[in-house]
Amino acid sequence: MLRALGQSVRARAAIRRATVGRSRSLHHLTKQHLMPRGPDSPSGGIWSELMIIALAAGAGVYASNRLRRQAQVDDAAVRQAVRLPDIPLISYQELQQHKTRESCWILVRGQVYDVTDFLNKHPGGVQIILANAGRDATAVYDTFHPPGLVDSLLSPSQHLGAVDPSTLPVGEVGPSAGLAEDERRVERARREIPPLDLCINVQDLEDVARQVMSKIAWGYCMSGADTMSAYRNNIAAFSRYTFRPRVLRPVTALDMSCHILGHPSALPIFVSPAANAGMGHPSGEVGIAHGAFVGGIIQGVASSSSRSMAELERERGKGQVMFFQLYVNKDRKVSERMLREAEERGFGAVFLTVDTPVPGKREMDLKTRGLPSPGAVSAAGKKSATQAGIANSLGDYFDANLQWDDLAWLRSVTKLPIILKGIQTVEDVELAVEHGCTAVLLSNHGGRQLDYARAPIDVLYELRQRRPDILDGKKIEVYLDSGVRRGTDVVKALCLGATAVGMGRPFWFSNGAYGEAGVVKLIDIMAEEIATTMRLLGVTRISELKPEMVCRIADFDPRKPYHHTLP
């Protein structure tokens, strides 16, 4: 218990040190990121002068409240450690004896839990728990789960007590003990990380992230399906579309704002939900939330977020909009509880993910993770030696029988607007309209599901060709993600009729590399590139972007507008 008390006191000291750094960081953000950006101002940007004072004041209050809440949490931890002297103490040697399916104990944040009966219920599969049974699993747990989740999932009887600190082996003590080679590499890379100002495009941020992230984190987020063809094609597909700019038009006054399901956004981009951001950076989705708030854009939060909805609700800025992503569980009651919580905590819409009846084969994730898959079977029906990555371990969680008629069930349990995430054909856009969906997100999951899936920009182009009435008549809002790396990519999609464009991996990587400041930097980069592209096209508002401003190279006919021809 003294060890827990000491750790909590040290944590509070670290927070006091971080408070100074945080206030300096916000001062820097106030000066550098809330000023108007781009050619309009020496500092460049997307907000007017009148917003600076209000946002600066709001940022100061927001930061102080956040730090006050964190201090309260740590005080509570200290008080709990002091007021529970009679909690059973379990020796580390006793813990080590329980690492089988028949008797499985884990140590998380100094507390010992019996998870034997929970093994088959774990959405991440049995093997990830067994691989960490009988020892301290805190590092692995914190990578994937928010604090307190273990207590909410298990019954009080499954909390066996606290580990006896006097029995901990020497290897379990000290911040540098037991670090693997890759962890030491990450530590060195973090110490030598390049200054953020040297990053001038999305690729620069990704390159830094690769250096400073663990191989497991990198493999999980970067991995695409099978040959990675869909991933590569998502990026390359934008090069098939070229611009037809207009000249001699006034472009000094620029407005890049838009509305997404009625919610204002400073830019026509949003954070596409990407799970387990805590693997890339300790701040996880909270860091992305802070950056999105500064940048004035909407954040999509994955159902497998490494930070809880409650924590995100506490941490978000005043008026900040978040959308919740849902994978429908085989047990519909689980999904219903998640939807109710999302609604109660003020989320603005739900991304219903429809392209994942089963996980794709993400080979980079498989190779870096290397855990045996509990569900993998050979053609003869026997367990195979196939390795399961982080994503694949969730296979038993998804409802593979989800169908269009289930949208009626979804509407019966939530009032949130429904966005179908993962639409990949015009036919399914038409069905989404027929079933009364509010919006669709054209996406192939960043190339992580079906190898050789079409790039979403090509699906949008086909929708423009075959059903321009859906886009022009605003029968449904259409978004796009997967492969977006440049402001030109965003503008091409907007010209073809997209309402807004999502970015997943870039926000994961920017946060993984630099935390909140990296997220703000990414938004700045995209703002500058979108602004430049719009001005060079001869437009000053999103509404002025038209289909005739882009053409698909293979189909271009100079005698008639491309959008009157079929692909």
Side-chain angles (χ1 to χ4, degrees):
M1 301 310 292
L2 290 175
R3 177 185 300 277
L5 180 59
Q7 289 174 342
S8 186
V9 171
R10 287 194 295 274
R12 294 173 62 192
I15 287 172
R16 285 193 294 271
R17 293 193 298 271
T19 304
V20 177
R22 174 69 180 162
S23 62
R24 290 174 180 169
S25 174
L26 278 168
H27 176 69
H28 171 72
L29 291 177
T30 301
K31 293 182 67 177
Q32 299 297 326
H33 298 295
L34 301 186
M35 294 290 289
R37 303 173 193 140
D40 301 300
S41 163
S43 299
I46 55 178
W47 285 289
S48 67
E49 288 283 352
L50 293 177
M51 291 293 291
I52 299 172
I53 298 175
L55 284 173
V61 173
Y62 173 65
S64 62
N65 286 342
R66 189 169 76 86
L67 291 165
R68 191 179 303 118
R69 284 195 299 270
Q70 183 62 59
Q72 290 169 354
V73 170
D74 289 305
D75 285 339
V78 174
R79 289 195 301 272
Q80 183 181 32
V82 172
R83 73 169 181 265
L84 294 176
D86 56 341
I87 188 170
L89 292 181
I90 298 170
S91 73
Y92 191 82
Q93 291 68 35
E94 173 68 11
L95 170 71
Q96 290 179 303
Q97 302 304 311
H98 300 270
K99 53 185 178 182
T100 67
R101 284 177 177 266
E102 291 71 31
S103 182
C104 185
W105 294 6
I106 60 171
L107 174 63
V108 175
R109 295 173 176 263
Q111 305 300 308
V112 180
Y113 299 89
D114 183 347
V115 294
T116 308
D117 295 335
F118 179 71
L119 284 173
N120 292 324
K121 301 175 184 177
H122 182 231
V126 174
Q127 294 300 327
I128 186 67
I129 296 181
L130 288 177
N132 293 277
R135 64 189 185 92
D136 191 346
T138 302
V140 176
Y141 172 87
D142 285 348
T143 295
F144 299 104
H145 303 304
L149 180 64
V150 64
D151 290 303
S152 66
L153 290 175
L154 302 178
S155 66
S157 64
Q158 290 173 291
H159 180 202
L160 304 179
V163 68
D164 184 346
S166 66
T167 66
L168 287 172
V170 175
E172 296 293 326
V173 181
S176 300
L179 286 178
E181 181 180 348
D182 189 53
E183 292 174 313
R184 291 192 289 270
R185 176 193 63 79
V186 169
E187 281 192 340
R188 290 193 299 270
R190 287 284 179 187
R191 290 195 297 267
E192 301 168 0
I193 192 168
L196 180 56
D197 289 344
L198 295 182
C199 296
I200 62 173
N201 57 43
V202 172
Q203 187 61 51
D204 290 341
L205 291 166
E206 182 177 311
D207 291 343
V208 174
R210 183 169 190 171
Q211 296 172 20
V212 302
M213 284 166 48
S214 70
K215 290 181 179 179
I216 289 177
W218 178 262
Y220 166 73
C221 192
M222 176 53 71
S223 188
D226 301 290
T227 69
M228 297 281 287
S229 173
Y231 166 80
R232 288 191 294 268
N233 186 51
N234 285 342
I235 298 173
F238 285 98
S239 66
R240 294 195 283 269
Y241 298 86
T242 58
F243 287 118
R244 300 179 68 247
R246 303 302 302 274
V247 299
L248 296 177
R249 294 183 173 187
V251 291
T252 300
L254 187 68
D255 182 3
M256 295 183 289
S257 65
C258 70
H259 283 79
I260 301 174
L261 294 184
H263 299 286
S265 178
L267 294 169
I269 63 173
F270 59 87
V271 181
S272 246
N276 296 317
M279 294 178 63
H281 191 278
S283 66
E285 289 76 10
V286 169
I288 297 176
H290 291 165
F293 175 60
V294 172
I297 66 172
I298 293 172
Q299 177 185 8
V301 177
S303 56
S304 297
S305 167
S306 58
R307 295 292 177 266
S308 67
M309 284 189 271
E311 185 175 4
L312 289 169
E313 180 186 28
R314 291 193 302 268
E315 295 287 338
R316 70 185 176 200
K318 183 177 181 180
Q320 184 173 4
V321 178
M322 295 179 178
F323 293 169
F324 178 70
Q325 178 207 24
L326 177 71
Y327 289 95
V328 175
N329 196 305
K330 286 181 178 179
D331 182 353
R332 295 290 176 86
K333 293 187 181 301
V334 173
S335 296
E336 290 178 11
R337 286 197 297 270
M338 296 176 75
L339 285 169
R340 282 196 297 272
E341 182 178 2
E343 200 166 332
E344 291 169 358
R345 297 196 181 281
F347 283 76
V350 56
F351 285 111
L352 176 63
T353 302
V354 294
D355 60 0
T356 315
V358 295
K361 185 184 179 185
R362 305 174 190 176
E363 296 186 3
M364 189 183 300
D365 183 22
L366 301 177
K367 291 175 181 177
T368 56
R369 192 63 184 171
L371 295 175
S373 171
V377 293
S378 66
K382 298 180 179 180
K383 291 281 179 99
S384 76
T386 300
Q387 301 295 298
I390 296 168
N392 293 65
S393 66
L394 296 173
D396 290 337
Y397 173 88
F398 304 136
D399 185 351
N401 294 319
L402 196 67
Q403 54 190 314
W404 287 99
D405 290 345
D406 290 319
L407 291 176
W409 158 78
L410 185 63
R411 279 192 291 269
S412 72
V413 296
T414 183
K415 297 178 182 178
L416 294 176
I418 299 171
I419 307 166
L420 295 191
K421 178 182 180 294
I423 297 296
Q424 299 173 66
T425 63
V426 173
E427 291 85 350
D428 282 342
V429 174
E430 293 171 333
L431 284 171
V433 173
E434 291 177 15
H435 283 79
C437 295
T438 310
V440 295
L441 174 54
L442 305 181
S443 171
N444 61 22
H445 220 100
R448 292 163 72 80
Q449 281 298 99
L450 177 63
D451 203 12
Y452 298 103
R454 295 176 67 200
I457 187 66
D458 290 333
V459 179
L460 178 61
Y461 174 80
E462 183 185 358
L463 181 63
R464 166 56 62 185
Q465 297 284 322
R466 292 174 51 184
R467 293 298 306 272
D469 59 303
I470 291 179
L471 295 166
D472 297 337
K474 307 295 183 185
K475 294 184 178 181
I476 196 170
E477 289 193 7
V478 177
Y479 318 128
L480 173 152
D481 74 9
S482 303
V484 178
R485 296 295 184 273
R486 291 281 183 178
T488 51
D489 299 340
V490 174
V491 174
K492 288 173 184 178
L494 298 176
C495 286
L496 289 174
T499 300
V501 171
M503 301 175 73
R505 282 188 184 93
F507 280 107
W508 211 96
F509 288 143
S510 61
N511 186 64
Y514 294 101
E516 170 186 344
V519 175
V520 175
K521 179 68 173 182
L522 173 58
I523 297 172
D524 279 347
I525 289 171
M526 296 306 296
E528 180 183 2
E529 292 184 357
I530 293 170
T532 300
T533 303
M534 288 177 62
R535 284 190 167 112
L536 292 177
L537 273 177
V539 302
T540 59
R541 294 178 176 273
I542 301 297
S543 59
E544 295 172 358
L545 294 169
K546 302 296 182 183
E548 55 266 25
M549 292 181 173
V550 294
C551 61
R552 193 174 190 274
I553 295 174
D555 303 322
F556 179 60
D557 184 342
R559 296 168 297 181
K560 52 188 176 182
Y562 89 92
H563 57 285
H564 291 166
T565 64
L566 290 177

